[in-house]
Amino acid sequence: MTDRLGLGLTAAASAILALAVSTAAVQPAGKGARVDKTAFGTTREGQPVDLYTLANANGVTAKLITYGALLTELHVPDRTGQLADVVLGFRTLAEYEGGHPYFGATIGRVGNRIANAKFRLDGRDYALAANDGPNHLHGGLRGFDKRVWKGQVVPAPSGAAVRFTYASADMEEGYPGALTATVTYTLTPANELRLDYTATTDKPTIVNLTNHSYFNLSGEGQGTILDHELMLMADRFTPVGAGLIPTGEIAAVRGTPMDFTRATAIGARIGEVPGGYDHNYVLSHGGGVLAMSATARDPQTGRTMDVLTTEPGIQLYTGNFLDGTLTGKAGRAYVQHAGFCLETQHFPDSINHPNFPPVVLRPGAAYRTTTVYRFYAR
Ligand code: GLA
C-alpha cells in the first residue's frame, strides 16, 4: 500500500511516523538550534514588542522583532570563523519608531512605488497614501514596517523558526480588502535565513511583500559596501523616469553600468548612475520557483551571501540616501552606501504596467513567495 509521503509504508509504520512527526512538531527547534523570546520594548501607543532570537548550531544568530516583523541583527562568520552582525539597524525600539529608511523591515502591502499613488482594479479607482512626492512607496504612511505583528514560534524540524502575522484592515492606506499576511523566518543548519510569505484577502487587492534589510558583509557600520562584489542573475532591468517610476520599458544591462551579470564591485561604475543604484532587475529565471538570483561577496572578510527567490524581480538599492545622520548598533554613523539592499519583489508600479508580472490577489487565492539569504565565506 502507498501513503501520502509516497514511501510505501504500511499503515502501522505510517501511524508511528505520524506520531513521531507530531511529537517533533511540539519541539520548537531542530538539533542544536534555539529560539528565545524576550521583551524589546513598548511602542509610543503602548503596544509591547517582542524580540525573537533564532540560533543554529554554527553560532549563527538572527534577531527579529514584532515591530515591522523586522530583522534587527544577523551574525554570520567570515573565512576565519569570526562572527559579525551584517545588517544595519538600531539597538532600541525608540530609534526604529523615530523614523528610518526601512532597516530590516517587512514591506507591504505593496513594496516599492506606485505612480501618482493611484491604481484601477476591476473598473474601480483607488487612491493610496502619497508618501514619496506624488507617489506611493513601500505601503504608505504607515505600512507593514510600522505595525506590530503577532509573533509565534513554529516547529522547524532542522532549524529555528518564528512566524509573524499581521491583519491589515480593508482600505488601510487606501488598499481594498482585509488582508492577512504572514512571514516566517527560518534559520537553517546551512546558515540560510529563509523568508516564507503568505497572504489572503477577502476582496480583490494588490500585494507585493519584501524585506528591506541593508547588508554590509564587513559588519554593520564598517564603512561602505562599494568594494563588495555583486553578481545578479539578470540581464535586463526596468529603467525609471521621474520619481524612480518605471517607464514600462525592459532594457538590456549589457554594456552599461547596470551590468552585474559577472561579479563586479558595486562601486566600479556607480558614479555613472545618477543617485546610485535604486533599480529593479528582471531575474532571468522568471520567478515561480526558488532559484539563485544574486551573490554578494566582501573581498576583505570573504563573507558571501547568495539570494534565492521565487520572485521575478530584485531591487538593488545601495543606501544612496544614507548620509551619516543615523547611528547604528555599534555606535557608528551610517554613511552613504553603508549597506546594500536586495529586495526580492514583483516589479515596481506593476499594477499600472500590464506588461509586468501581475500583483493582484483575489479572494480564495493564496499569495506565497519565498526568499533565502544564504551565508558562507570564501
Ligand atoms: C527603497 C527605495 C529607495 C528608498 C529606500 C529607502 O529601496 O527604492 O528609493 O526609498 O527604499 O530610503
Side-chain angles (χ1 to χ4, degrees):
M1 82 185 283
T2 55
D3 60 279
R4 269 181 302 158
L5 296 175
L7 298 174
L9 301 178
T10 63
S14 297
I16 292 167
L17 187 66
L19 191 69
V21 169
S22 67
T23 309
V26 293
Q27 297 292 333
K31 206 164 180 282
R34 197 170 45 90
V35 189
D36 289 336
K37 177 184 164 187
T38 54
F40 191 67
T42 305
T43 65
R44 290 190 288 235
E45 291 174 3
Q47 279 177 287
V49 171
D50 295 322
L51 168 73
Y52 290 85
T53 302
L54 311 182
N56 72 9
N58 313 322
V60 170
T61 54
K63 296 192 181 191
L64 299 135
I65 55 173
T66 51
Y67 181 81
L70 182 160
L71 177 67
T72 61
E73 294 182 29
L74 181 60
H75 299 258
V76 301
D78 69 4
R79 58 166 97 75
T80 69
Q82 175 100 29
L83 294 169
D85 182 1
V86 296
V87 292
L88 274 52
F90 300 121
R91 260 191 308 237
T92 65
L93 181 60
E95 289 165 285
Y96 285 109
E97 280 200 287
H100 66 107
Y102 307 96
F103 291 149
T106 299
I107 307 296
R109 183 176 303 198
V110 173
N112 217 299
R113 293 172 175 77
I114 297 178
N116 300 313
K118 276 195 223 147
F119 70 97
R120 172 165 265 256
L121 178 60
D122 296 343
R124 280 193 56 182
D125 291 315
Y126 294 95
L128 300 170
N131 62 323
D132 192 39
N135 305 318
H136 179 84
L137 175 66
H138 290 333
L141 293 167
R142 190 164 174 213
F144 291 7
D145 60 296
K146 297 176 187 68
R147 306 279 174 173
V148 178
W149 297 54
K150 188 169 137 306
Q152 181 192 1
V153 175
V154 290
S158 63
V162 59
R163 175 171 306 146
F164 297 106
T165 304
Y166 176 64
S168 168
D170 186 20
M171 296 313 287
E172 187 177 284
E173 300 293 316
Y175 291 106
L179 181 99
T180 301
T182 74
V183 53
T184 305
Y185 290 86
T186 307
L187 179 63
T188 77
N191 296 352
E192 299 158 323
L193 187 63
R194 179 183 170 114
L195 287 66
D196 290 290
Y197 299 89
T198 70
T200 53
T201 183
D202 69 351
K203 284 187 198 143
T205 190
I206 54 176
V207 192
N208 184 28
L209 305 176
T210 191
N211 178 277
H212 207 298
S213 287
Y214 290 64
F215 298 95
N216 185 326
L217 299 174
S218 304
E220 60 91 21
Q222 302 286 351
T224 78
I225 47 70
L226 295 176
D227 62 349
H228 283 40
E229 294 158 3
L230 176 67
M231 178 152 93
L232 295 173
M233 286 59 175
D235 49 22
R236 292 174 304 156
F237 77 110
T238 51
V240 289
L244 295 175
I245 298 293
T247 59
E249 186 196 349
I250 292 186
V253 297
R254 187 192 292 261
T256 78
M258 303 306 293
D259 191 350
F260 287 97
T261 53
R262 290 154 190 259
T264 304
I266 291 176
R269 298 185 69 180
I270 196 170
E272 298 170 55
V273 183
Y277 296 100
D278 196 350
H279 295 84
N280 172 64
Y281 282 79
V282 177
L283 291 167
S284 304
H285 61 66
V289 286
L290 188 64
M292 262 299 287
S293 304
T295 300
R297 174 174 175 270
D298 169 27
Q300 308 301 318
T301 63
R303 286 196 195 89
T304 305
M305 176 177 88
D306 289 340
V307 182
L308 295 87
T309 189
T310 61
E311 290 281 15
I314 201 163
Q315 183 88 3
L316 168 62
Y317 172 59
T318 46
N320 312 325
F321 301 122
L322 298 174
D323 59 3
T325 54
L326 295 173
T327 299
K329 290 165 278 188
R332 286 184 286 260
Y334 289 147
V335 295
Q336 189 180 37
H337 311 310
F340 66 94
C341 305
L342 288 171
E343 303 155 59
T344 56
Q345 61 183 1
H346 273 53
F347 306 170
D349 199 27
S350 279
I351 189 63
N352 294 312
H353 294 281
N355 60 324
F356 289 178
V359 290
V360 175
L361 181 70
R362 297 188 179 279
Y367 170 97
R368 249 171 218 290
T369 70
T370 298
T371 292
V372 174
Y373 295 108
R374 178 166 64 204
F375 296 89
Y376 53 100
R378 64 172 160 84

